Amino acid sequence: QSTLTQPRSVSGSPGQSVTISCTGTSNDVGGHNYVSWYQQEPGKAPKLMIFDLIKRPSGVPDRFSGSKSGNTASLTISGLQAEDEADYYCCTYTGTNSVIFGAGTTLTV
Amino acid sequence: VQLVESGGVVVQPGGSLRLSCAASGFSFEEYSMHWVRQAPGKGLEWVSVISWFGENTYYADSVKGRFVVSRDRYRSSMYLQMNSLRSDDTAMYYCTKEARGTFWTGFDSWGQGTLVTVSS
């Protein structure tokens, strides 16, 4: 079964930039652009931050951006703000009619 | 867009349960819909997807053969019939909507979740 590897935690100071990586394989992350990222605050439902690898839903600040290199997708948050502190999950199509999530990364600001 | 889940309760191992998701604020029949769950203190796990008119359904290996997803276009609702429940099915179950009409693009709207607890 496919797995996506994310760092357990990342941290940054207000105003700085951080990047969260999400490593899969050539069958999933590396094989298409069906990568999405979610922000989840404690006790709340997840919120879509990036879809189709690089697209931002309406209302998501342009401080959030997505990218990919080979089998690793990345979420970059620039100009960190205290309100960005949350768990972040990557998600991708496996290539076999299913999707998988990474284990999540806790961002501390 | 609003998604409202219901049906989560405490159920014994081996039991059955049906979750519902009532959708509003968008053209329900134009989007694939998914169920995603989250065990207490754990990460997100995709469960199932159903296409626009219900002609295609797919499941995670962990629930295949036990769960059945369906939808009712007239009620703008999606359902998850859960059978042969196990303790590791204990989770918050979220109803989600595709960001675009096609599969696998991302989940742009989420309900508040409904909690299923499998315990004797």
Side-chain angles (χ1 to χ4, degrees):
Chain A
Q1 186 165 346
S2 301
T3 59
L4 295 179
T5 301
Q6 295 183 234
R8 191 172 186 86
S9 64
V10 297
S11 63
S13 300
Q16 288 186 333
S17 294
V18 295
T19 296
I20 300 172
S21 61
C22 173
T23 301
T25 70
S26 58
N27 292 322
D28 41 63
V29 173
H32 52 71
N33 289 337
Y34 290 141
V35 177
S36 52
W37 290 91
Y38 302 86
Q39 176 193 68
Q40 187 177 34
E41 298 175 17
K44 293 188 175 181
K47 175 186 177 183
L48 179 66
M49 306 304 285
I50 297 288
F51 69 103
D52 285 352
L53 186 63
I54 60 171
K55 298 177 182 177
R56 273 188 314 276
S58 173
V60 172
D62 59 7
R63 302 186 294 104
F64 291 82
S65 63
S67 62
K68 183 176 75 171
S69 177
N71 297 334
T72 297
S74 298
L75 174 70
T76 298
I77 309 171
S78 57
L80 270 178
Q81 299 181 3
E83 66 203 48
D84 298 333
E85 190 162 286
D87 291 331
Y88 290 84
Y89 295 89
C90 63
C91 178
T92 191
Y93 175 55
T94 65
T96 56
N97 294 322
S98 64
V99 296
I100 52 171
F101 287 92
T105 298
T106 298
L107 168 63
T108 302
V109 180
Chain B
V1 174
Q2 190 172 19
L3 301 172
V4 180
E5 303 94 336
S6 61
V9 293
V10 178
V11 60
Q12 291 190 339
S16 297
L17 197 57
R18 189 197 198 205
L19 304 184
S20 299
C21 170
S24 61
F26 67 101
S27 297
F28 182 68
E29 62 274 14
E30 294 182 3
Y31 291 89
S32 300
M33 299 289 294
H34 298 250
W35 289 98
V36 174
R37 68 184 181 183
Q38 187 170 33
K42 303 296 185 182
L44 301 172
E45 180 186 16
W46 176 78
V47 173
S48 179
V49 62
I50 185 166
S51 58
W52 310 262
F53 297 112
E55 69 275 22
N56 292 309
T57 58
Y58 301 108
Y59 301 89
D61 288 343
S62 58
V63 307
K64 200 173 295 183
R66 301 187 299 123
F67 290 10
V68 178
V69 62
S70 61
R71 66 191 292 167
D72 183 334
R73 60 181 294 197
Y74 301 106
R75 289 185 166 83
S76 294
S77 293
M78 177 175 67
Y79 308 97
L80 186 66
Q81 178 66 42
M82 309 166 66
N83 301 320
S84 302
L85 283 161
R86 313 185 303 220
S87 57
D88 60 359
D89 294 318
T90 294
M92 184 71 79
Y93 283 74
Y94 293 103
C95 166
T96 72
K97 166 189 164 292
E98 278 278 359
R100 293 194 283 118
T102 186
F103 283 171
W104 321 126
T105 60
F107 314 121
D108 70 344
S109 298
W110 297 66
Q112 84 288 351
T114 188
L115 182 61
V116 173
T117 303
V118 183
S119 174
S120 55

